[in-house]
């Protein structure tokens, strides 16, 4: 099992995700379904999906994320929403236990071996005819202006942290259909959307705050693993600050989406 890559800054950022992240999957869901959200983080997407299906369960390996998710569940009062701390490569569920399985911003982080194990587990717990939805990053589709070296470096530091063994991981999103097909699923729909971090001045300021929090949180760990230098981290921080001062700055993050079935 790989070391967890979560920290408090990641969980805080994930809490901002909501139902829009799973909007593409909604047409494939019904109120009778039992759904599993794998790598659920603080549970905001799981909670949104619980309003559409009969039951929604979120799983995550990070205890802090599950704690936050359970607090969300308690506050929501939803009776069909629950969370389990679990490793996605060894899910604690019986075969054919779910009608739908969902992954958001989870798969592209994984090594080839972990990806294979994870999708095998997803296929195992999914009923025949069940649907699987994936939404993941494709850095090759991001739109950034101005293209400051410091901001580009900041995005690169994230990739170093995940230490990918896939040389084409930055374009993972566009390959989801092919990847799912190679792991025994039948893709039935593909699409893409953007996360807008620059809609207005407030959104740009929020993007800079999130980026700085993330860099400052990961910085010591990057340094300890010799994945970055102090100078690089400072340059990345300065890049985001400069980007945020430009009233015409834009940053649209590409998210590719795929729905597949288990035959």
């Amino acid at each position: 099992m790989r070391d967890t890559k979560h920290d408090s800054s990641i969980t805080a950022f994930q809490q901002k995700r909501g139902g829009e992240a799973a909007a593409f999957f909604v047409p494939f869901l019904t109120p009778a379904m039992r759904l599993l959200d794998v790598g659920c983080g603080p549970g905001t997407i799981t909670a949104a999906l619980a309003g559409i299906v009969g039951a929604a369960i979120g799983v995550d390996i990070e205890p802090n994320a599950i704690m936050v998710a359970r607090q969300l569940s308690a506050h929501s009062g939803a009776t069909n929403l629950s969370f389990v701390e679990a490793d996605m490569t060894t899910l604690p569920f019986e075969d054919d236990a779910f009608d739908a399985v969902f992954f958001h911003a989870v798969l592209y982080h994984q090594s080839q071996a972990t990806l294979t194990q994870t999708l095998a587990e997803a296929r195992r717990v999914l009923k025949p005819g069940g649907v699987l939805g994936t939404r993941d990053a494709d850095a090759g589709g991001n739109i950034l202006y101005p293209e400051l070296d410091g901001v580009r470096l900041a995005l690169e530091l994230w990739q170093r942290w995940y230490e990918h063994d896939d040389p084409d991981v930055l374009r993972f999103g566009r390959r989801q259909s092919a990847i799912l097909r190679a792991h025994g699923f039948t893709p039935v729909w593909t699409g893409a959307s953007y996360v807008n971090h620059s809609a207005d001045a407030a959104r740009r300021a929020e993007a800079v705050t999130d980026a700085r929090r993330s860099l400052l949180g990961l910085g010591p760990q990057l340094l300890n693993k010799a994945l970055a230098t102090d100078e690089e981290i400072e340059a990345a921080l300065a890049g985001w600050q400069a980007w945020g001062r430009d009233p015409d700055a834009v940053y649209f993050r590409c998210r590719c989406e795929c729905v597949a079935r288990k035959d």
Side-chain angles (χ1 to χ4, degrees):
M1 183 179 68
R2 297 187 67 193
D3 294 337
T4 179
K5 296 293 187 179
H6 285 73
D7 68 7
S8 60
S9 64
I10 298 174
T11 300
F13 177 77
Q14 288 175 325
Q15 284 181 284
K16 298 175 182 178
R17 302 182 311 188
E20 70 279 0
F24 75 97
F25 200 35
V26 171
F28 297 88
L29 304 178
T30 70
M33 287 182 166
R34 188 169 185 244
L35 178 143
L36 179 66
D37 182 11
V38 184
C40 65
T44 50
I45 294 176
T46 325
L49 290 170
I52 299 166
V53 298
I57 299 174
V59 299
D60 202 289
I61 196 172
E62 172 55 39
N64 182 60
I66 291 298
M67 178 187 70
V68 173
R70 286 173 174 164
Q71 291 171 349
L72 171 68
S73 178
H75 291 153
S76 73
T79 58
N80 67 335
L81 174 64
S82 60
F83 296 94
V84 177
E85 183 182 331
D87 185 339
M88 62 187 177
T89 64
T90 53
L91 293 170
F93 305 107
E94 296 181 355
D95 295 358
D96 306 335
F98 295 92
D99 303 285
V101 175
F102 186 68
F103 291 92
H104 182 273
V106 172
L107 297 178
Y108 96 104
H109 295 325
Q110 311 308 323
S111 68
Q112 294 284 9
T114 301
L115 177 65
T116 296
Q117 289 178 276
T118 297
L119 289 176
E121 276 294 272
R123 183 172 172 77
R124 180 183 67 79
V125 302
L126 189 61
K127 294 178 181 178
V131 290
L132 180 141
T134 63
R135 185 175 191 249
D136 230 316
D138 195 303
N142 289 347
I143 298 174
L144 176 67
Y145 176 83
E147 296 191 20
L148 301 176
D149 290 342
V151 177
R152 289 291 186 191
L153 175 59
L155 300 178
E156 181 186 329
L157 292 180
W158 268 99
Q159 301 308 316
R160 293 183 195 175
W161 172 242
Y162 283 106
E163 298 180 290
H164 296 290
D165 59 5
D166 180 354
D168 201 27
V169 70
L170 293 179
R171 290 169 172 77
F172 181 92
R174 69 190 65 184
R175 297 184 290 124
Q176 286 176 107
S177 179
I179 289 168
L180 293 178
R181 192 182 302 278
H183 286 84
F185 296 93
T186 301
V188 296
W189 184 92
T190 58
S193 58
Y194 280 89
V195 181
N196 186 353
H197 294 284
S198 53
D200 50 34
R203 189 68 63 86
R204 280 191 292 274
E206 183 180 53
V208 172
T209 298
D210 285 337
R212 286 183 58 83
R213 182 188 298 118
S214 175
L215 284 167
L216 292 171
L218 286 179
Q221 299 171 78
L222 288 165
L223 293 171
N224 288 339
K225 298 188 73 173
L227 294 174
T229 65
D230 284 312
E231 292 75 15
E232 286 178 317
I233 293 172
E234 287 301 318
L237 289 166
W240 276 112
Q241 288 291 97
W243 179 88
R245 288 193 295 268
D246 188 331
D248 299 314
V250 296
Y251 179 31
F252 307 139
R253 285 197 305 157
C254 182
R255 289 290 181 263
C256 295
E257 301 149 350
C258 187
V259 178
R261 292 193 183 277
K262 173 183 173 179
D263 293 330

